[in-house]
Amino acid sequence: MIEFYSHVAQISLPDVGPGFFVDEAEYVVEGLRGAQPTQVSSVPNRTVAVFGSDGGGALFAADRQTGEIVRLEGGSLIGDVYEVEESGVQVIARDFEGFMQFLSGELLRQIPSGG
């Protein structure tokens, strides 16, 4: 993510799929200080850094131990814990680069083919 933020401030794709947003680095840091969840209740010892969201209310977060990118949906924030059933935690990518490839694929699906 450090490499990403050294080149890009944020991503806002409101018209792609449900909408995809990657927050500014400052907002990610604020999240680690309590503005966003840093733990997930249904996955013991999973600490996360929330860095974005989609237009449906789900959060995108990086697992701080494994680097996996997860989509958190259908839970609620209680303190610094995202209370959610296991089904509300979906691994989107192995790492942040994989998440960028996921976004690229979503964007390409929106471009009409042929012509």
Side-chain angles (χ1 to χ4, degrees):
M1 290 176 69
I2 293 170
E3 177 72 17
F4 169 81
Y5 284 119
S6 70
H7 299 285
V8 178
Q10 66 183 18
I11 294 175
S12 180
L13 300 171
D15 297 327
V16 175
F20 294 100
F21 307 92
V22 175
D23 302 321
E24 294 180 2
E26 292 81 14
Y27 191 73
V28 176
V29 172
E30 286 176 22
L32 292 171
R33 293 181 179 149
Q36 293 285 349
T38 57
Q39 298 176 51
V40 179
S41 65
S42 60
V43 185
N45 302 317
R46 186 182 290 260
T47 58
V48 295
V50 173
F51 64 84
S53 60
D54 70 17
L59 301 173
F60 294 114
D63 183 302
R64 295 177 67 191
Q65 280 76 43
T66 67
E68 290 179 324
I69 304 304
V70 295
R71 182 176 185 269
L72 306 172
E73 179 180 37
S76 57
L77 181 59
I78 300 175
D80 66 346
V81 177
Y82 192 75
E83 293 281 341
V84 66
E85 299 292 323
E86 192 173 326
S87 61
V89 180
Q90 176 187 12
V91 175
I92 297 293
R94 193 178 68 197
D95 54 24
F96 194 75
E97 182 179 342
F99 178 75
M100 289 290 106
Q101 292 170 352
F102 163 77
L103 281 186
S104 175
E106 292 296 313
L107 180 60
L108 289 174
R109 277 191 265 292
Q110 298 294 309
I111 299 171
S113 61

